[in-house]
Amino acid sequence: MSKTNMIALGFLVIMGVFPFFADSAWLAVGTTFLVFSVVAFSQDIILGRAGAFHMGHAAFFGIGAYTTAILNTHFGWPILATWAPAVILPMTVALITISPIIHLRGDYLLVATIGINIIFIQVLENDLFGLTGGPNGIFGIDVVRVFGFEFFEQTHMYYMAFILLGITLFIMKSLDGSKFGRAMFYINKDDVAAQSMGINIRYYKMYAFAIGAGIAGAAGSMFSVQYSAVSPEAFNVLQSIMFFTIVLVGGSASLPGVLIGTFVMFVLPEIFREFETARYLVFGLAMILTMILRPRGIWPVKFGNIPAFLKKDVK
Amino acid sequence: MSQYLLEIKNVSKFFSGLTAIDALNLKVKKGQIYGIIGPNGAGKTTLFNCITGIYTPEEGEILWNGKEIKGTAPDKIAALGILRTFQTIRLFAEMSVAENIMSGRHIKSNQKWYNGIIPTPAYYKDEKYNWEKVGEYMELFGLSEYATTPAGDLSYGVQRKIEMARALAAEPELLILDEPAAGLNENETKELAEIIRKIQDMGVTIMMIEHDMDMVMSLCEYMTVINFGAWICDGIPEHVQDNPAVIEAYIGVEDEDEDE
């Protein structure tokens, strides 16, 4: 077994047995870590792979969360039935809102996506159609019920999030091994060359946004069920900045990198809770130092993942 | 169906009042190696950018198998079978040589939109077939030993080969080479000429810009000379070589601009 696979297996085993050793507070942190990892991976598809400077990802995360919350509390849908809409709606919103701005480059796209995030927060806070609950959000979201079983315990939440991360990793692997994931890398590394090789830049960037928004929506749905509540501040621009930073600090397009990034940006502050806000001083410094010392992230992506039969002549 | 693969008819391209290409005409036959020569800044690369859709010329027609392709997006041009290399090498530098060449297989791959999320039996077959093709092109260009090396870490000469292998992997009808010998040493240039002949034998039509006169004269079957974006003369190499206008505009200063 390769070193990478062993580390991956080790990670899955540790995460798999974590609930047996953690108290309820840490279990909640663990669950949120899993959910945030999923969002970070979906951000990574757009930012790390397709190379689009997208600073509004919390909006798609939030649309997924509010879809489940609204369908459940206002319309009485069971949570299970809200899963598909919580994926499809963010995807659709992404296709509609990103399509007119997809041609923008770097910083311009970044500003435009911040705009999308701000509009989304305004919609939530102004209680659109009396559905979003204004600044307080929505409370009393149900738990998942399947054939009379109720998954209400923290451990249930944890393993649901764990399965969601598993599905996400499966998608990331599929993407990496397909012409879609490769096309994103080609566009990211040299868009002129990519286009000259017949790659439709618009199509593959939109593809990245659609998949990214869909996965973020699924994570949002999970997030709303975990806390049985949603409120606007969990999906504002500051959250988008966090997801953006996770990818860059951890390592763009690197699976272990994104996990490390999520750990560093979300779990470490929880561990050092006793230092209160002073801990953010250290974090600010750590972010600056990472960018100076490891500009490609803590665990940078490694290319050259090609079939074994092509490596026979490599010395 | 036109008897010419590519026809440039009265094409003009302006950049804010400056004439980069001035009512240019040329016709490329299937199977030819066609040379475009001229001094630096003559508009040669601009012409290639017009053919490959990076620029849209303001006037004239570009006909591919008799059909107008002016204004078509670069990726659609590639899908038609017109592939190119760049004067300043444009590889995906951090990615391995094999992955670089795999980009050429993009338009040949039949993977469906959902294969980015979930693999299917047809996907595995397609993926395997295209990697095997990459293997073939690496072998053809002697690149197999660099399969996993990041393209940007290799020498200039090897990078030129990777760029050609990448374009060829897309199985083009027309291969456009923008100064393929620039920056190569004598041995590498000789090897390059052999590769270009091999590509021609595969049935690929080739258009090239080149300053290395020995190579152009020995390889090209037909050529057009341009200066300040305008036609000076065209013909077979021997004919062009003896043209006084060409000597005046170009050949006389040839030695100095190898490395534009």
Side-chain angles (χ1 to χ4, degrees):
Chain A
M1 203 192 306
S2 76
K3 202 173 118 204
T4 322
N5 284 344
M6 275 185 23
I7 293 169
L9 192 72
F11 168 77
L12 287 177
V13 169
I14 290 170
M15 292 314 285
V17 299
F18 175 74
F20 298 105
F21 303 99
D23 62 14
S24 84
W26 279 108
L27 201 52
V29 171
T31 308
T32 309
F33 165 71
L34 293 173
V35 173
F36 279 3
S37 306
V38 172
V39 185
F41 278 125
S42 65
Q43 167 93 54
D44 183 49
I45 294 175
I46 301 164
L47 171 66
R49 286 146 207 276
F53 281 15
H54 168 43
M55 189 62 100
H57 206 49
F60 301 134
F61 180 44
I63 293 170
Y66 270 84
T67 303
T68 289
I70 291 169
L71 288 178
N72 178 249
T73 58
H74 287 280
F75 301 99
W77 289 34
I79 298 295
L80 214 53
T82 70
W83 282 355
V87 170
I88 294 165
L89 196 64
M91 239 181 207
T92 314
V93 172
L95 289 173
I96 293 167
T97 58
I98 301 297
S99 169
I101 57 170
I102 193 73
H103 62 284
L104 298 178
R105 278 167 184 276
D107 36 6
Y108 302 102
L109 183 71
L110 189 123
V111 171
T113 49
I114 291 176
I116 290 174
N117 205 154
I118 289 174
I119 292 170
F120 174 67
I121 295 298
Q122 285 304 306
V123 168
L124 296 183
E125 289 189 340
N126 286 292
D127 200 8
L128 185 74
F129 306 127
L131 289 174
T132 63
N136 295 327
I138 300 171
F139 299 93
I141 298 161
D142 200 6
V143 295
V144 177
R145 294 162 199 275
V146 186
F147 304 122
F149 290 103
E150 287 186 10
F151 296 99
F152 59 89
E153 280 177 37
Q154 275 292 338
T155 347
H156 298 154
M157 301 296 175
Y158 182 89
Y159 282 113
M160 276 193 277
F162 191 58
I163 291 168
L164 182 63
L165 178 64
I167 294 169
T168 306
L169 284 171
F170 175 81
I171 292 173
M172 303 302 283
K173 277 284 180 197
S174 304
L175 192 63
D176 277 350
S178 75
K179 79 176 208 178
F180 298 89
R182 281 192 299 267
M184 289 173 199
F185 281 128
Y186 299 142
I187 292 168
N188 187 346
K189 300 300 168 204
D190 189 329
D191 56 345
V192 175
Q195 215 181 2
S196 295
M197 298 316 293
I199 293 166
N200 183 333
I201 293 179
R202 192 185 164 79
Y203 177 87
Y204 288 94
K205 278 196 178 167
M206 286 310 295
Y207 189 90
F209 268 100
I211 298 207
I215 295 174
S221 179
M222 179 66 232
F223 190 73
S224 72
V225 172
Q226 186 201 345
Y227 290 101
S228 79
V230 288
S231 60
E233 75 268 8
F235 311 108
N236 60 21
V237 177
L238 211 59
Q239 289 297 308
S240 290
I241 293 173
M242 185 182 82
F243 294 128
F244 194 97
T245 314
I246 283 175
V247 171
L248 291 192
V249 167
S252 292
S254 153
L255 299 184
V258 170
L259 286 171
I260 291 170
T262 313
F263 184 83
V264 169
M265 295 297 295
F266 171 69
V267 182
L268 282 192
E270 296 296 323
I271 293 175
F272 296 114
R273 212 162 241 289
E274 56 186 297
F275 298 104
E276 298 185 3
T277 48
R279 67 190 195 265
Y280 288 110
L281 187 72
V282 180
F283 272 91
L285 278 171
M287 281 158 69
I288 295 168
L289 285 175
T290 312
M291 287 299 97
I292 294 170
L293 300 173
R294 292 190 76 82
R296 296 180 61 224
I298 298 172
W299 186 314
V301 62
K302 246 183 93 185
F303 289 106
N305 194 9
I306 59 170
F309 69 86
L310 290 175
K311 295 181 187 169
K312 62 183 190 320
D313 293 323
V314 175
K315 282 162 199 148
Chain B
M1 186 77 45
S2 165
Q3 61 160 320
Y4 295 102
L5 190 63
L6 181 76
E7 275 179 88
I8 308 286
K9 283 187 172 173
N10 278 316
V11 164
S12 296
K13 172 74 197 165
F14 310 108
F15 290 114
S16 54
L18 213 84
T19 307
I21 300 179
D22 189 6
L24 201 66
N25 285 286
L26 60 89
K27 293 168 176 176
V28 182
K29 273 188 197 153
K30 199 167 168 47
Q32 244 176 358
I33 299 182
Y34 197 107
I36 308 283
I37 60 171
N40 291 332
K44 305 179 299 290
T45 298
T46 306
L47 173 66
F48 279 6
N49 284 340
C50 287
I51 297 170
T52 53
I54 291 174
Y55 299 147
T56 303
E58 277 78 18
E59 288 167 18
E61 291 172 68
I62 300 174
L63 302 179
W64 172 252
N65 282 316
K67 279 193 204 79
E68 173 75 273
I69 56 165
K70 191 178 76 175
T72 309
D75 53 291
K76 306 283 182 307
I77 296 279
L80 288 172
I82 304 176
L83 270 291
R84 69 171 296 172
T85 65
F86 295 87
Q87 186 183 345
T88 50
I89 300 177
R90 299 190 86 118
L91 290 170
F92 310 112
E94 294 165 54
M95 302 176 82
S96 68
V97 171
E99 284 166 310
N100 268 276
I101 298 172
M102 190 62 166
S103 71
R105 298 304 301 169
H106 180 87
I107 51 175
K108 294 289 167 186
S109 163
N110 294 319
Q111 292 174 23
K112 300 287 183 292
W113 67 267
Y114 48 79
N115 287 143
I117 305 166
I118 192 159
T120 56
Y123 150 85
Y124 285 114
K125 222 177 118 190
D126 176 86
E127 188 76 358
K128 185 163 176 284
Y129 173 73
N130 285 308
W131 281 118
E132 279 167 1
K133 279 284 180 187
V134 169
E136 285 175 28
Y137 287 103
M138 284 200 299
E139 228 153 274
L140 183 69
F141 284 83
L143 295 167
S144 304
E145 58 178 307
Y146 306 122
T148 54
T149 315
D153 292 356
L154 292 159
S155 74
Y156 210 70
V158 178
Q159 290 197 19
R160 286 254 174 239
K161 280 201 259 181
I162 300 167
E163 220 191 12
M164 286 173 74
R166 179 178 73 177
L168 207 61
E171 297 173 29
E173 266 189 83
L174 175 65
L175 180 62
I176 293 182
L177 304 174
D178 197 345
E179 294 198 32
L184 302 192
N185 64 33
E186 213 170 308
N187 281 335
E188 287 173 327
T189 308
K190 238 178 244 166
E191 196 189 348
L192 176 74
E194 275 166 36
I195 290 173
I196 292 176
R197 279 200 206 287
K198 223 190 282 181
I199 295 172
Q200 185 190 26
D201 290 342
M202 292 163 75
V204 180
T205 309
I206 294 164
M207 267 182 103
M208 59 191 279
I209 294 174
E210 189 46 67
H211 285 302
D212 187 316
M213 276 305 135
D214 293 340
M215 183 161 132
V216 173
M217 293 300 168
S218 70
L219 274 180
C220 295
E221 289 147 27
Y222 203 87
M223 55 179 58
T224 291
V225 186
I226 59 178
N227 197 11
F228 299 112
W231 174 91
I232 290 190
C233 87
D234 62 54
I236 57 169
E238 294 76 18
H239 171 81
V240 168
Q241 229 164 359
D242 300 335
N243 190 309
V246 175
I247 293 165
E248 188 189 330
Y250 184 70
I251 306 279
V253 294
E254 171 256 317
D255 283 333
E256 298 307 317
D257 43 42
E258 291 267 299
D259 52 8
E260 177 194 355

